Amino acid sequence: MSQAHNCPCSEFCALQGALGSIGGKWKLPILCSLLANGDSRYNELLRNIRGISNTMLSKAVKELEEDGLVTRAEYLEVPIRVEYGLTEKARRLQPILAQLIQWSLEDPAARES
């Protein structure tokens, strides 16, 4: 088999790594909410993302933070205020996500699933 027919990701798949960072049911809605609304407190995210539970929001935000996509800023006030925001790495996803939306809208079969 020639080299042209092999997957370019056969040893290390950077695409799977990227999809792992943003994949799952709740990570994209969290990123989209932060893109649309800017830095948000935890309860704002909870209100903006319909159907997400406290446990899942907490888990997904922590994973996004570990992947370098979300920042967590803690303000020493009474009560303590915590805000979540996007890193520059996450902001660079915006045009990619816009292209995926456009691609999906162009494919009628994708809207049916």
Side-chain angles (χ1 to χ4, degrees):
M1 182 180 273
S2 73
Q3 192 75 1
H5 293 98
N6 290 332
C7 174
C9 317
S10 57
E11 253 182 72
F12 170 74
C13 186
L15 182 57
Q16 283 189 359
L19 291 176
S21 293
I22 62 171
K25 183 174 182 177
W26 299 112
K27 290 181 181 180
L28 281 176
I30 292 167
L31 293 172
C32 287
S33 178
L34 291 171
L35 278 167
N37 303 309
D39 293 357
S40 300
R41 295 175 81 166
Y42 184 88
N43 283 329
E44 290 173 308
L45 286 172
L46 200 57
R47 278 191 303 273
N48 290 337
I49 303 167
R50 194 172 42 226
I52 193 168
S53 68
N54 273 314
T55 304
M56 291 311 298
L57 178 58
S58 178
K59 180 180 183 285
V61 167
K62 185 175 182 177
E63 290 173 2
L64 287 166
E65 189 178 0
E66 289 170 358
D67 288 334
L69 297 172
V70 169
T71 61
R72 181 182 189 275
E74 194 171 295
Y75 299 94
L76 300 178
E77 301 171 353
V78 178
I80 292 177
R81 177 172 52 108
V82 176
E83 288 186 348
Y84 296 93
L86 296 174
T87 64
E88 182 56 35
K89 181 179 176 181
R91 290 189 205 305
R92 290 195 313 263
L93 282 171
Q94 188 169 13
I96 297 165
L97 295 176
Q99 287 180 331
L100 279 172
I101 291 167
Q102 187 60 41
W103 174 76
S104 176
L105 293 174
E106 292 170 2
D107 182 8
R111 288 191 295 261
E112 293 173 10
S113 40

